[in-house]
Amino acid sequence: MPPHWILGPGAIGRLLAHSLSPLVATTLIGRRALPEQQVLTTPEGQQRVQVLNMLTAAQLASETPNPPAFVHITTKAMAAEAALESLASVIPSTTPLVLWQNGFLAQPRISQAWPGPVLCATTTEGAYLTGDDGVVHAGRGHTFIGDLSNQHGELAETLAQTLTQAELPATAVSDIRQRLWQKLAVNAAINPLVALNGVRNGELRTAAHSPHVQSVVKEVAAIMLAEGIQPPNGGQGEQAWLALVWQVIASTANNKASMLQDVEAKRPTERGAILGPLIESAQRHKLPYGVLQALDTAIAALEAGY
Ligand SMILES: NC(=O)c1ccc[n+]([C@@H]2O[C@H](COP(=O)([O-])OP(=O)(O)OC[C@H]3O[C@@H](n4cnc5c(N)ncnc54)[C@H](OP(=O)(O)O)[C@@H]3O)[C@@H](O)[C@H]2O)c1
């Protein structure tokens, strides 16, 4: 079977590589060299050491490798296009890509620009890095896979089966656009506020923060309606979005959102992939976006001050 390439050796990339490599040939591609001996800590706390096939994009470009079955892009959203560019001369332009980013920035752009199939994955698997040779699979979840124009159902099904065999349960779906926007809507109501206030998710339930959650959801719900995104759980409009946001806040009360972790580590956040598409949509549909814009401006100012 042709190999799976994984471009972006971060938390999700290494989790994929550790999971897939016992089943299929797998190459993990970065922009800098990393140790081949890698450790995965499972959600149950067991450590598994594996030698992974690690290369840099420059090393690959100097070889003539066999074309891969899939290229998984597992960088942060704002790095996805540049990462793909670094491989563009190495892979046929018909190669299926799989985009693992949160938000809705890389997905429409790469789907439009890449001639081959572009699958999008949205996952509730949780992982974080512990250095250049370690990744912790912090929580098991589920992955949904599909393409934005719904033309590659069979390919999505093949990939979902491979991931499921690799102990990353996955389902091929025909509504990935809805799922990506729904996740983005919830992320927009939680991540920027916790990042700016330096609090864990559960703190948003306090009187100091809950009115802000409500005002974000008000703008987001109107944008979702304009984008044709169904309110969650069969509910109606703003109330359904608010109910989902409070439910996620309760079930992740002790979590530090990735945007807060990025701010604390002085890394660029994924604000452009989460707030960016909402603001762009609001402008296009002539809807209010003052609250979203203020959050984006405040996070941009934080990032500029690193
Ligand atoms: N982690 C999770 O639990 C989780 C869950 C759901 C969704 N996601 C989403 O998955 C995406 C990846 O998240 P993550 O947590 O895995 O991020 P991450 O740990 O920061 O990993 C990103 C990786 O991309 C690499 N990279 C950046 N530019 C590159 C380039 N041009 N070529 C090759 N590699 C490049 C980085 O390498 P350097 O070390 O050289 O910077 C890093 O290894 C994000 O959109 C995130 O929102 C993550």
Side-chain angles (χ1 to χ4, degrees):
M1 192 192 284
H4 284 231
W5 289 8
I6 301 164
L7 177 59
I12 289 291
R14 286 191 226 169
L15 173 63
L16 269 179
H18 274 287
S19 305
L20 286 171
S21 57
L23 281 183
V24 285
T26 305
T27 300
L28 190 49
I29 306 156
R31 53 184 172 180
R32 60 193 175 91
L34 288 173
E36 292 216 310
Q37 183 160 308
Q38 291 281 330
V39 185
L40 169 77
T41 305
T42 68
E44 295 73 33
Q46 288 170 337
Q47 295 213 321
R48 282 196 215 144
V49 181
Q50 283 194 92
V51 173
L52 299 177
N53 186 24
M54 298 278 217
L55 288 174
T56 63
Q59 283 171 320
L60 261 180
S62 67
E63 298 175 4
T64 39
N66 286 331
F70 291 95
V71 174
H72 300 266
I73 303 184
T74 51
T75 64
K76 291 279 177 76
M78 53 285 188
E81 286 166 285
L84 175 58
E85 188 56 38
S86 72
L87 282 191
S89 65
V90 188
I91 52 173
S93 62
T94 49
T95 306
L97 306 179
V98 191
L99 308 181
W100 286 81
Q101 287 66 37
N102 271 335
F104 200 71
L105 177 74
Q107 295 88 342
R109 289 197 196 178
I110 294 179
S111 296
Q112 203 177 19
W114 187 251
V118 179
L119 302 179
C120 304
T122 174
T123 188
T124 52
E125 299 289 350
Y128 63 88
L129 297 177
T130 53
D132 275 357
D133 64 354
V135 61
V136 175
H137 187 187
R140 294 190 195 280
H142 199 92
T143 302
F144 294 96
I145 299 165
D147 65 289
L148 294 182
S149 51
N150 218 5
Q151 289 179 346
H152 302 290
E154 254 179 58
L155 196 65
E157 187 57 51
T158 302
L159 178 62
Q161 282 177 14
T162 304
L163 289 170
T164 303
Q165 278 170 22
E167 295 178 16
L168 297 173
T171 308
V173 293
S174 58
D175 60 352
I176 197 73
R177 182 175 178 276
Q178 293 271 332
R179 289 172 187 271
L180 288 165
W181 274 99
Q182 285 185 345
K183 186 167 185 190
L184 180 155
V186 174
N187 282 341
I190 299 175
N191 287 11
L193 284 172
V194 293
L196 285 169
N197 291 291
V199 295
R200 288 179 189 258
N201 293 359
E203 281 287 301
L204 293 181
R205 293 174 293 193
T206 60
H209 302 299
S210 64
H212 296 134
V213 175
Q214 291 182 32
S215 52
V216 179
V217 171
K218 193 178 175 62
E219 288 187 356
V220 168
I223 296 167
M224 292 298 120
L225 183 64
E227 287 291 334
I229 307 302
Q230 299 300 320
N233 304 321
Q236 293 289 316
E238 193 180 321
Q239 283 316 310
W241 288 108
L242 202 52
L244 176 63
V245 167
W246 288 128
Q247 189 186 318
V248 171
I249 288 171
S251 63
T252 59
N254 206 28
N255 286 13
K256 261 191 188 181
S258 58
M259 200 176 276
L260 173 57
Q261 291 178 39
D262 287 337
V263 165
E264 286 183 346
K266 300 194 185 315
R267 290 187 298 249
T269 69
E270 291 194 298
R271 72 184 169 84
I274 293 171
L275 294 169
L278 290 167
I279 292 171
E280 188 275 325
S281 171
Q283 288 169 337
R284 197 161 19 89
H285 294 290
K286 303 202 182 337
L287 292 168
Y289 61 95
V291 176
L292 293 165
Q293 182 65 66
L295 290 173
D296 194 48
T297 304
I299 294 169
L302 261 187
E303 290 181 28
Y306 288 163

